[in-house]
Amino acid sequence: MTGSPGLNLIIPYFDRVGRKVNMMEQVIEIPEQEVITMDNATVGVDGVAFYQVFDAAKASYEVSNLQQAIVVLT
């Protein structure tokens, strides 16, 4: 069950809170990586990724570690 914003009624033994997800925009630091350019120069690159969860059910249950998945995709 996905709760809607506001007050939600949870009946014990029938409903439970599986995982709470922060829906605000968040920041993840991307670790530094060595990259080789087209002219064979080695460059160290690091970054920052901003993300926001729009679908809490998918973010909770389709990915085991959301932040690790975002770092790998970035």
Side-chain angles (χ1 to χ4, degrees):
M1 176 180 114
T2 302
S4 59
L7 185 61
N8 291 301
L9 180 64
I10 298 175
I11 302 168
Y13 303 109
F14 294 108
D15 297 328
R16 63 185 172 94
V17 177
R19 187 176 297 173
K20 292 183 181 179
V21 177
N22 189 352
M23 303 292 281
M24 297 189 316
E25 187 173 282
Q26 297 180 28
V27 179
I28 297 179
E29 286 194 35
I30 307 300
E32 185 172 346
Q33 299 178 4
E34 295 291 325
V35 179
I36 299 175
T37 62
M38 291 179 67
D39 55 348
N40 291 331
T42 304
V43 179
V45 178
D46 61 348
V48 176
F50 294 87
Y51 74 95
Q52 183 176 6
V53 175
F54 289 113
D55 191 350
K58 287 183 179 180
S60 296
Y61 300 118
E62 291 188 12
V63 178
S64 61
N65 187 349
L66 179 63
Q67 290 187 348
Q68 179 69 24
I70 292 171
V71 168
V72 169
L73 287 174
T74 306

